[in-house]
Amino acid sequence: VVYITNLKPLTLPRIHVEGLRFVTDDGKPWRMAFADSFRLYERYLRNEDIRPILQELKSLKANGVRVLGSFDFGTPQSQRLYPSEHPDYFSRMPRFFSILQEFSFYAEWCAFADTQRSVPGAANQTQFWNQTCDVLRPITNVLLQRVNEGNQHENGVDGQTEKPAGVLSSFGSNGTGDDPPLPFWDFCDL
């Protein structure tokens, strides 16, 4: 398998919002062409080579992925990501985003999903949110979503989650057919 990557480290420009559009910090319009790859970080933490997934998405003209930072899909031994079970959870995030940059990919990092199981308790949620924002702040190829489908299942967030300075952020999404939750922060997710 041959991977298309850059030979030198790449820093993608940050994205920000101007009116109703995304723009790079170097002034160019930017369009999101993402694929959902919810389990990508969990797979990376299990030392799976994620490059074949990224290569396939690149060949399909994607420019990024949507990734869940915590979740529980209901399978006790797999398909779950409880940050507390990974002592290296935060220390490995910068390298993960560096690998995405090799493919010129951005990520919409969704901090919370299945929140009541994956990051239970208001104090734990607040600590997890603050630490996530601190790690993501210097990373240029990230868009941050607070919660996926916040009004569904066990996704609600009880912790204090302020809009982070220096990170393009969405307050989150609600379930299919529901309006996005307020406040929108920099952008909203449907």
Side-chain angles (χ1 to χ4, degrees):
V1 176
V2 175
Y3 301 116
I4 301 171
T5 61
N6 296 312
L7 298 176
K8 61 182 179 177
L10 171 71
T11 299
L12 293 171
R14 285 190 186 276
I15 305 295
H16 65 273
V17 173
E18 289 183 7
L20 296 176
R21 61 190 184 121
F22 290 112
V23 178
T24 63
D25 277 351
D26 55 4
K28 296 178 183 162
W30 182 82
R31 292 183 190 256
M32 182 184 285
F34 280 19
D36 288 336
S37 192
F38 292 146
R39 292 182 54 215
L40 195 64
Y41 192 59
E42 174 247 340
R43 295 169 83 170
Y44 172 76
L45 286 174
R46 287 189 292 110
N47 297 312
E48 184 176 327
D49 183 4
I50 62 172
R51 286 177 175 87
I53 297 165
L54 300 174
Q55 181 62 50
E56 180 180 15
L57 294 174
K58 187 75 172 174
S59 73
L60 296 171
K61 307 296 185 211
N63 66 357
V65 290
R66 190 161 169 252
V67 178
L68 299 180
S70 64
F71 62 89
D72 183 334
F73 293 161
T75 307
Q77 301 306 318
S78 65
Q79 296 192 27
R80 77 182 213 180
L81 178 53
Y82 290 17
S84 63
E85 295 178 344
H86 299 274
D88 58 352
Y89 181 92
F90 291 107
S91 65
R92 292 186 64 191
M93 283 172 69
R95 178 67 185 130
F96 173 79
F97 279 91
S98 179
I99 292 170
L100 295 179
Q101 285 206 28
E102 292 175 18
F103 293 84
S104 297
F105 273 18
Y106 289 83
E108 182 175 22
W109 182 272
C110 177
F112 296 107
D114 308 304
T115 311
Q116 301 306 311
R117 289 175 288 168
S118 62
V119 187
N124 289 334
Q125 292 168 16
T126 300
Q127 180 183 8
F128 174 73
W129 176 255
N130 290 338
Q131 202 165 354
T132 296
C133 294
D134 288 345
V135 171
L136 293 179
R137 194 166 283 111
I139 295 172
T140 62
N141 60 324
V142 64
L143 296 83
L144 177 60
Q145 181 189 44
R146 178 179 155 270
V147 63
N148 180 61
E149 298 183 357
N151 66 347
Q152 301 293 310
H153 317 293
E154 297 180 341
N155 293 357
V157 178
D158 301 317
Q160 296 296 314
T161 53
E162 301 295 324
K163 181 187 177 312
V167 182
L168 182 67
S169 305
S170 164
F171 190 69
S173 67
N174 278 327
T176 304
D178 293 333
D179 290 336
L182 295 171
F184 294 147
W185 290 352
D186 296 311
F187 65 99
C188 69
D189 285 292
L190 291 174

